[in-house]
Amino acid sequence: MLQEISIPAGQLAVWTEGSGPPVLLVHGYPLDHSMWDFQTSFLRDNYRTIAPDLRGFGKSPSSGDSVTMAEFADDLASVLDGLEIQRPVAVICLSMGGYITLEFWRRHARRIAGIAFCDTRAKNDPPEVAKARGVQASQVLREGTASVVESMSGKLFAEATHGAHPERIMQTRLAMEMASPAGVAAAARGMAVRADFTPLIPQLPKLPCVAICGVEDRITPLAEMEAFAALIPGCPLHAISAAGHMAPLENPTEVNHILDGFLKEIFPHAHA
Ligand code: MLT
């Protein structure tokens, strides 16, 4: 079900399905909620899934020249308030969704029951990457999102996905094309100034976490995810076969199996 939820900066389009313990799904850049379709259709029998389009993506309007990860994180808290969800939620996130979830953890830890981090990192951008994001933001505002769609499409997927699931690649392209230039530029600028969570994670309240990464991820490679998982005590890392950066979309069978086990651990009574 599509719901329009008010946030201080406007409104967000939020897809909710099923009933049971709440599971919040936070998409990557420059994507939208639809990247989680294989997860929501799997989880909705036992959980209430909540999959927003972040500001400026999918059906959610953009707002602001730059949106920080902290602002996106506060939007998530507003979504939970709007849906009247007070109990802690499980968060499943990918890449930029992971950067946002780290801020959500820092700012709203009491709202979280556990986190599944997919294909993301703790570190902030090195100066040259931060600078390139600024250049990309200006280009997108001038010329539209075509250049970002092109460069991201080439990097997101494993070789095997191109042959086996071209329709998933097409669907992802369509989602990227839906994003507004202002939204893409604002998120790029926000990512460029995000905090380095490497020294911060050990200071955050303890939470159950799991890390998931496609073996062919070229954006946040497995070695980087290993370093990420090592920062969180007791956080296992699962390498997903036949998958790149979009592991949940490229190999949903393996990813859903891991999510199923993780959610059963953090919400044991849902399956009594
Ligand atoms: C994403 O998938 O969200 C992006 O690749 C993140 C990034 O550009 O750092």
Side-chain angles (χ1 to χ4, degrees), residues 28-29 94-96 99 121 133 152 156 191 219 245:
Y29 165 95
L94 182 130
S95 203
M96 180 183 78
Y99 312 157
R121 61 166 64 84
R133 293 212 200 258
M152 291 301 284
L156 288 176
M191 282 194 284
I219 296 178
H245 190 59

Side-chain angles (χ1 to χ4, degrees), residues 4-270:
E4 297 289 335
I5 306 287
S6 294
I7 58 168
Q11 293 228 309
L12 290 188
V14 180
W15 274 258
T16 59
E17 293 196 41
S19 61
V23 179
L24 178 63
L25 298 123
V26 190
H27 67 75
Y29 165 95
L31 305 165
D32 70 12
H33 77 284
S34 66
M35 64 152 287
W36 299 115
D37 283 355
F38 286 112
Q39 281 65 51
T40 50
S41 59
F42 174 71
L43 296 172
R44 67 185 167 207
D45 291 341
N46 291 304
Y47 302 96
R48 181 176 186 195
T49 61
I50 303 145
D53 282 345
L54 298 168
R55 270 194 235 184
F57 298 94
K59 290 199 182 325
S60 292
S62 65
S63 128
D65 292 340
S66 167
V67 182
T68 64
M69 301 302 103
E71 287 168 328
F72 279 124
D74 289 350
D75 289 352
L76 297 178
S78 298
V79 166
L80 298 180
D81 289 342
L83 294 171
E84 297 182 356
I85 295 174
Q86 292 309 321
R87 66 179 290 185
V89 300
V91 185
I92 304 174
C93 51
L94 182 130
S95 203
M96 180 183 78
Y99 312 157
I100 294 167
T101 299
L102 288 169
E103 283 291 356
F104 191 57
W105 189 357
R106 171 154 79 162
R107 300 163 76 81
H108 303 283
R110 66 166 189 85
R111 307 199 77 147
I112 309 177
I115 307 173
F117 286 101
C118 306
D119 304 87
T120 191
R121 61 166 64 84
K123 276 202 77 56
N124 58 347
D125 290 342
E128 65 281 6
V129 174
K131 194 165 165 222
R133 293 212 200 258
V135 172
Q136 186 180 72
S138 306
Q139 185 183 8
V140 163
L141 289 172
R142 257 192 342 264
E143 299 166 13
T145 56
S147 58
V148 177
V149 174
E150 231 23 76
S151 80
M152 291 301 284
S153 300
K155 288 188 287 194
L156 288 176
F157 297 98
E159 208 42 56
T161 307
H162 286 273
H165 303 293
E167 75 294 348
R168 295 183 196 172
I169 295 175
M170 192 48 71
Q171 180 203 338
T172 305
R173 271 191 86 100
L174 289 176
M176 293 196 281
E177 283 163 8
M178 284 283 289
S180 70
V184 171
R189 288 175 175 149
M191 282 194 284
V193 297
R194 73 186 190 277
D196 179 4
F197 269 80
T198 313
L200 299 177
I201 287 177
Q203 296 167 27
L204 295 174
K206 301 286 166 272
L207 282 175
C209 291
V210 65
I212 292 169
C213 187
V215 289
E216 288 180 51
D217 189 335
R218 283 183 285 153
I219 296 178
T220 48
L222 202 49
E224 198 158 8
M225 275 306 271
E226 270 161 13
F228 176 88
L231 293 169
I232 306 172
C235 176
L237 169 64
H238 298 273
I240 306 300
S241 64
H245 190 59
M246 298 297 292
L249 182 68
E250 298 180 79
N251 191 341
T253 307
E254 262 183 53
V255 171
N256 288 350
H257 178 71
I258 293 157
L259 294 175
D260 187 44
F262 179 66
L263 293 172
K264 280 179 175 149
E265 265 172 45
I266 62 174
F267 294 128
H269 301 303

